[in-house]
Amino acid sequence: MLTALAIDQLYHLCEADKLAFATTRELEDLDEIIGQERALDAIEFGVGIHHEGYNLYVMGSPGLGKHTVVHEALRAKAKVGPPPFDWCYVNNFRSPHLPNRLKLAAGTGSHLAQDMEQQIEELLNALPAAFQTDDYHRQAQEIHSKYKAKEEHISEQLDEHAKALDIGLMRTPNGFTLAPLKDGTIVGPKEFEQLPTEEQQEIERKVEILKDELKETVRKVPTWQAELHREIKALDRAVTEETVNHLFHDLEQKYSGLPNVLDFLQAVKADVIENSEPFREPREHPFQFRALGNRPEFNRYRVNVLVNNAGSQGPPVIYEDNPTYQNLLGRIEHLASQGTLITDFTLVKPGALHKANGGYLVLDAEKVLMTPFVWPALKRVIKSREIRIESIERVLSLASTISLEPEPIPTEIKVVLIGDRLLYFLLKEYDPEFIQLFKVAADFSEELLRHNGNEVLFSRLIATLVHREKLREIDRSGICRIIEQSARRAEDGERLSLHLDNLLELLQESDYWAGRLGKEITSAAEVQMAIDAQARRMGQWRERLQEHIQRGILLIDTKGSQLGRVNGLSVLELGDYRFGTATRISATARLGSGEIIDIEREVDQGGQIHSKGVLILSSYLARRYSKNQPLSLSATLAFEQTYGSIEGDSASAAELCVLLSAIGDLPLRQSLAITGSVNQHGEIQAIGGVNEKIEGFFDICEARELTGDQGVIIPASNVKDLMLRDGVRNAAAEGRFHIYAARHVEEAMELLCGLRPGAPDINGIFPEGSFNRQIQTRLLEWIALRQHYASPHLAGEEDE
């Protein structure tokens, strides 16, 4: 029969004498995180290789410090890389809805933008001044005088000709008027009517001649005005061109090595020369300085610095916490003006991809996939190697209005997705493009082995966090307690959990309790207070469940023996809080056709793994007891008083034991609980949550008073995982509670029913007094009864 585990098997102590320091003050901080060598190698490879598709997916469960490690690794790489470029948008004067991009060295974009602001301000002051010079006025006056002289000359000729014909030519506000003259005096209408008819006709003939000449002259006036306008415009253009070329000379010299900037400056000059009127508004005072300010009519000459990398020491490392479509790819903003929305290239805003161009972009995979339109857009950017700023409406073809179409910006960027393993493998399975775009996977380790000096390294990790967070130093006893708690969280006494979030929480809360007690150094006592406080904060439902058991609402026996009943163990999870409890599992057996009914499965309350465990029981019974004949039983299994879904096979050992009890009429000890999965050969296999399960049953027994007969049966392969709390270990040391480790279900049955399993003879018959003999006898009886009811003789009697 099994014996209880020794006390030193119930807890894997951290040996303080192996830690050669008094407090964390004596420990040197770590340069990099421990236990993640595999992931760090993958990150270094992914960052270092410069071929298409070698982006990274960093995977692991939450709390491993993936973000911290990735950022530190990328920043270290960025320190030795080349600085990124500035990216700007400028006006396309030929097609304003298609802004042009400028690629400039880091810091050049902001300088160009400032230079253009200054240049336009200088034009605003220089051009009006150029048109107010004496030389300009003299040339303009000469042009006006020339055409005025033409008009006067023609007017004099007409006037002389009219006088020669005794016709008066008079100028009025409405034009010219012709009237007959007599002795130099205008003949009035009444006098004209008194003239002889022949004379009237002669005067009318002369007037018609003059009218024709006047019409011919008037037709020339618009031509002269157009010529005047052209000459004035040519003069204005010459003055503007001379002023603009003079002002832009130094700027063109400054950017002479940048052809794209020179092209932009030439386009600006041409547009200013062609459209100089806004610059020529007169100043109210001769010495007034006109500033550019926010005057929208001059936006066309500005430079929109989309990405300003002035002062950057290397490639950018950008983390986008909210990867919406616009936050990632940029946006085009609009302004409300007179009831309409207007926009131009100065309202183009960058996204995270623009800011990370030339460097690294870090994103949370789940957020990217959960945000509409982002995942396809991200893949499109990676594949096309360019960023195209488009509104969602245009992408979905929901809007047909004319909008800006900024020139796409080419990308050279390494994208790092951070997520869990399930998401990685789902993407790999269902998105064929994923593996082509994210060829490097960096898998973070969950645990660290405790041997080979790793406890000292883990101590240095604790010291690093303490110093980084400016917490109180921790003494050696506190370090040992933290190491032991990390082993418990890893569910393996030989390993340590690498979940930095949980570790940091424990350090911060321990520091709080040390401060509350007025201690300068944190010890094991304060660490234990933090652990207990965490459990208490989340322990309401555990206490309620225990209360229901103690009040008899949930039926759990901890003494005596019962037929077809056993105490199974389960773990309940509420977020990151876990606790164990007991569940009564019952079974019934009778003559039948070999069917085992799992009530949970029948009502869709049991999961697939749970159902698999139940099906294994039939295989074990057939192998052990009915190799040469069919099983002649029908049995049912049920988890009593459970009202939620049941998943996992950790109760299959308990289900097999209670089924054997029901078949062989074998009462089972209710002072014991059992956990473990079982295979077709009856071997008990490891399960999770072993510490919580033991402590859950211990709490029930302790509340009812420990008798020394109570205990828990666990798989032998879980012994290395034991990190039980002090109360359980103390009770075990005093012989009031026991933990047994079983390798086979028959070892567990021997403890539960008090009978030996026995070994079959050459005929397969188990010895008298063994529980297997009782089970075998009952099954043989059922086989005989089944054959009896199925015999033709009995069937004939029934017919009579």
Side-chain angles (χ1 to χ4, degrees):
M1 186 174 288
L2 292 176
T3 58
L5 295 177
I7 302 304
D8 59 357
Q9 293 179 284
L10 306 182
Y11 197 80
H12 294 74
L13 281 168
C14 174
E15 300 179 21
D17 56 352
K18 292 185 178 180
L19 303 179
F21 59 87
T23 69
T24 50
R25 184 180 290 111
E26 303 173 18
L27 295 175
E28 185 179 356
D29 290 352
L30 291 172
D31 294 328
E32 62 181 31
I33 194 169
I34 60 174
Q36 303 296 353
E37 291 77 13
R38 184 197 311 273
L40 289 172
D41 289 344
I43 293 172
E44 183 178 0
F45 168 75
V47 171
I49 189 169
H50 300 289
H51 292 287
E52 188 174 349
Y54 281 89
N55 298 291
L56 292 92
Y57 187 101
V58 179
M59 57 181 167
S61 59
L64 288 173
K66 300 187 294 297
H67 280 276
T68 302
V69 173
V70 167
H71 278 79
E72 289 179 354
L74 295 181
R75 288 193 182 99
K77 186 71 175 178
K79 289 181 180 178
V80 297
F85 292 99
D86 285 350
W87 290 96
C88 306
Y89 274 119
V90 295
N91 188 30
N92 183 340
F93 293 96
R94 293 183 178 179
S95 302
H97 70 288
L98 302 173
N100 293 326
R101 67 171 187 251
L102 291 181
K103 179 182 180 182
L104 305 171
T108 305
S110 58
H111 291 157
L112 177 61
Q114 293 171 5
D115 289 342
M116 286 305 301
E117 295 280 332
Q118 180 65 31
Q119 198 72 10
I120 301 306
E121 288 182 354
E122 290 181 2
L123 284 172
L124 281 169
N125 292 279
L127 280 176
F131 286 97
Q132 293 174 7
T133 61
D134 293 339
D135 185 57
Y136 173 78
H137 285 300
R138 178 185 58 76
Q139 294 184 57
Q141 185 62 40
E142 289 178 355
I143 295 171
H144 282 285
S145 298
K146 181 174 68 173
Y147 285 96
K148 187 176 182 180
K150 278 188 177 183
E151 291 179 6
E152 290 177 350
H153 176 69
I154 293 296
S155 179
E156 288 175 359
Q157 287 182 338
L158 282 173
D159 193 48
E160 290 177 358
H161 189 199
K163 288 181 180 179
L165 297 175
D166 290 329
I167 301 296
L169 180 64
M170 297 172 290
R171 289 183 176 84
T172 68
N174 297 324
F176 291 94
T177 299
L178 298 175
L181 297 175
K182 188 173 183 179
D183 299 329
T185 304
I186 294 175
V187 177
K190 290 183 178 180
E191 295 178 0
F192 180 76
E193 291 176 354
Q194 295 175 0
L195 294 175
T197 303
E198 294 80 5
E199 191 173 350
Q200 290 182 8
Q201 293 176 347
E202 180 64 19
I203 292 172
E204 289 176 351
R205 185 184 64 80
K206 293 177 181 178
V207 169
E208 289 298 324
I209 293 173
L210 288 174
K211 281 184 178 180
D212 291 340
E213 290 183 8
L214 186 60
K215 287 179 182 178
E216 185 66 25
T217 302
V218 170
R219 277 197 290 267
K220 292 180 181 179
V221 172
T223 304
W224 295 340
Q225 290 177 343
E227 291 176 359
L228 171 64
H229 179 71
R230 281 195 293 271
E231 288 195 32
I232 292 296
K233 189 173 181 180
L235 174 62
D236 291 351
R237 184 183 181 89
V239 172
T240 302
E241 189 169 354
E242 181 181 0
T243 305
V244 169
N245 287 335
H246 174 72
L247 289 177
F248 274 80
H249 179 267
D250 291 342
L251 198 59
E252 289 174 325
Q253 291 296 317
K254 181 178 180 179
Y255 296 100
S256 59
L258 300 174
N260 54 350
V261 177
L262 291 178
D263 290 343
F264 167 65
L265 294 178
Q266 289 296 328
V268 171
K269 286 168 54 179
D271 191 78
V272 171
I273 292 169
E274 193 66 30
N275 304 281
S276 62
E277 288 79 7
F279 294 92
R280 294 172 55 186
E281 296 177 4
R283 292 175 290 183
E284 295 179 3
H285 189 275
F287 301 102
Q288 179 189 13
F289 180 80
R290 297 173 63 204
L292 176 58
N294 292 320
R295 297 177 64 180
E297 64 267 30
F298 298 112
N299 281 351
R300 57 196 289 114
Y301 306 116
R302 284 190 166 98
V303 175
N304 179 8
V305 184
L306 196 71
V307 180
N308 182 9
N309 285 308
S312 298
Q313 301 300 317
V317 179
I318 303 297
Y319 170 64
E320 179 53 61
D321 180 63
N322 183 27
T324 63
Y325 183 89
Q326 291 185 332
N327 288 351
L328 205 60
L329 278 84
R331 64 191 184 278
I332 300 173
E333 295 182 344
H334 294 74
L335 295 175
S337 176
Q338 298 180 352
T340 61
L341 294 177
I342 61 172
T343 187
D344 60 39
F345 72 95
T346 63
L347 297 175
V348 178
K349 304 300 179 182
L353 283 164
H354 297 94
K355 299 172 185 176
N357 199 4
Y360 311 95
L361 176 61
V362 183
L363 300 168
D364 289 309
E366 184 175 357
K367 292 180 180 179
V368 169
L369 292 169
M370 292 294 290
T371 306
F373 313 113
V374 168
W375 177 240
L378 179 62
K379 292 191 295 182
R380 187 165 58 248
V381 170
I382 296 175
K383 286 189 295 184
S384 64
R385 300 174 70 91
E386 66 178 20
I387 309 170
R388 187 180 297 272
I389 301 179
E390 295 178 296
S391 66
I392 292 290
E393 294 82 2
R394 288 185 63 84
V395 171
L396 300 178
S397 300
L398 297 177
S400 58
T401 56
I402 298 176
S403 182
L404 295 184
E405 296 180 26
E407 186 177 5
I409 292 180
T411 63
E412 185 177 346
I413 188 171
K414 189 78 70 171
V415 179
V416 181
L417 289 181
I418 299 179
D420 58 31
R421 294 182 182 85
L422 176 61
L423 202 54
Y424 173 81
F425 291 111
L426 287 174
L427 285 169
K428 193 173 181 180
E429 180 69 21
Y430 293 107
D431 189 342
E433 294 177 329
F434 172 72
I435 198 61
Q436 299 300 321
L437 301 177
F438 293 87
K439 296 181 178 181
V440 182
D443 193 359
F444 270 61
S445 299
E446 305 284 330
E447 301 159 352
L448 175 71
L449 289 171
R450 287 181 68 173
H451 55 68
N452 296 332
N454 283 342
E455 287 190 349
V456 175
L457 278 177
F458 198 79
S459 301
R460 289 181 59 193
L461 173 62
I462 295 171
T464 302
L465 295 175
V466 166
H467 298 154
R468 188 187 73 187
E469 298 296 321
K470 295 180 173 54
L471 306 176
R472 291 172 178 80
E473 303 291 345
I474 304 176
D475 66 16
R476 185 162 49 183
S477 70
I479 293 291
C480 286
R481 185 65 191 92
I482 293 171
I483 289 174
E484 291 162 1
Q485 182 65 15
S486 295
R488 177 183 169 102
R489 185 172 286 277
E491 296 192 68
D492 190 336
E494 298 174 357
R495 293 177 179 271
L496 298 172
S497 170
L498 289 175
H499 284 251
L500 297 185
D501 283 358
N502 295 323
L503 177 59
L504 185 57
E505 287 176 9
L506 181 57
L507 295 178
Q508 291 170 335
E509 293 174 23
S510 300
D511 181 78
Y512 165 79
W513 289 108
R516 187 167 176 175
L517 296 175
K519 293 189 174 182
E520 295 183 359
I521 295 178
T522 304
S523 66
E526 289 75 54
V527 176
Q528 187 61 50
M529 290 175 69
I531 295 170
D532 294 341
Q534 287 177 349
R536 175 172 172 75
R537 287 196 297 270
M538 294 296 298
Q540 179 178 180
W541 289 107
R542 180 186 64 83
E543 294 172 3
R544 289 287 302 275
L545 197 60
Q546 291 288 339
E547 179 186 347
H548 279 53
I549 292 173
Q550 301 309 320
R551 294 172 60 189
I553 299 173
L554 296 178
L555 302 179
I556 299 292
D557 291 331
T558 56
K559 60 182 179 180
S561 297
Q562 296 284 349
L563 183 66
R565 296 177 185 176
V566 72
N567 291 323
L569 297 173
S570 60
V571 172
L572 302 181
E573 296 189 14
L574 302 174
D576 61 349
Y577 176 67
R578 307 171 58 186
F579 65 92
T581 189
T583 302
R584 174 177 286 179
I585 303 173
S586 64
T588 62
R590 59 199 174 279
L591 176 63
S593 58
E595 182 182 15
I596 298 178
I597 298 174
D598 174 21
I599 292 178
E600 274 66 38
R601 182 178 62 182
E602 293 297 319
V603 298
D604 294 328
Q605 193 174 341
Q608 293 181 345
I609 298 175
H610 172 75
S611 298
K612 172 188 173 184
V614 173
L615 293 174
I616 287 174
L617 306 185
S618 299
S619 176
Y620 173 77
L621 291 176
R623 173 187 171 276
R624 191 61 169 160
Y625 303 109
S626 297
K627 284 187 177 181
N628 302 317
Q629 63 276 332
L631 282 172
S632 297
L633 67 85
S634 289
T636 57
L637 287 167
F639 281 68
E640 305 291 353
Q641 295 182 287
T642 57
Y643 307 101
S645 61
I646 297 173
E647 183 59 301
D649 63 351
S650 64
S652 57
E655 290 174 312
L656 181 53
C657 290
V658 76
L659 187 59
L660 295 176
S661 168
I663 295 171
D665 287 337
L666 299 167
L668 302 181
R669 291 169 57 187
Q670 301 300 293
S671 59
L672 295 178
I674 179 172
T675 183
S677 70
V678 69
N679 61 24
Q680 296 183 99
H681 299 278
E683 297 169 328
I684 297 181
Q685 303 165 142
I687 45 82
V690 64
N691 294 297
E692 290 83 359
K693 291 177 178 179
I694 293 172
E695 292 168 357
F697 190 67
F698 172 81
D699 290 340
I700 296 172
C701 297
E702 185 180 39
R704 293 177 175 175
E705 188 178 359
L706 296 173
T707 63
D709 189 43
Q710 296 141 335
V712 175
I713 303 170
I714 66 171
S717 52
N718 278 117
V719 173
K720 64 179 179 57
D721 304 331
L722 292 178
M723 293 295 294
L724 297 171
R725 67 174 189 248
D726 290 345
V728 182
R729 301 203 311 272
N730 293 336
E734 296 167 2
R736 297 185 296 129
F737 194 78
H738 311 281
I739 292 93
Y740 303 93
R743 298 183 182 278
H744 196 278
V745 70
E746 291 185 342
E747 296 176 349
M749 276 297 295
E750 185 176 7
L751 273 175
L752 288 166
C753 70
L755 300 177
R756 294 177 297 104
D761 60 18
I762 58 174
N763 297 317
I765 305 301
F766 289 96
E768 289 288 344
S770 66
F771 68 78
N772 279 324
R773 179 61 177 270
Q774 288 188 219
I775 296 169
Q776 188 178 52
T777 300
R778 178 56 58 84
L779 291 174
L780 290 173
E781 290 174 357
W782 286 344
I783 291 171
L785 284 172
R786 185 177 182 185
Q787 291 173 347
H788 173 71
Y789 289 127
S791 66
H793 172 72
L794 183 60
E797 290 180 353
E798 291 178 352
D799 291 340
E800 294 176 0

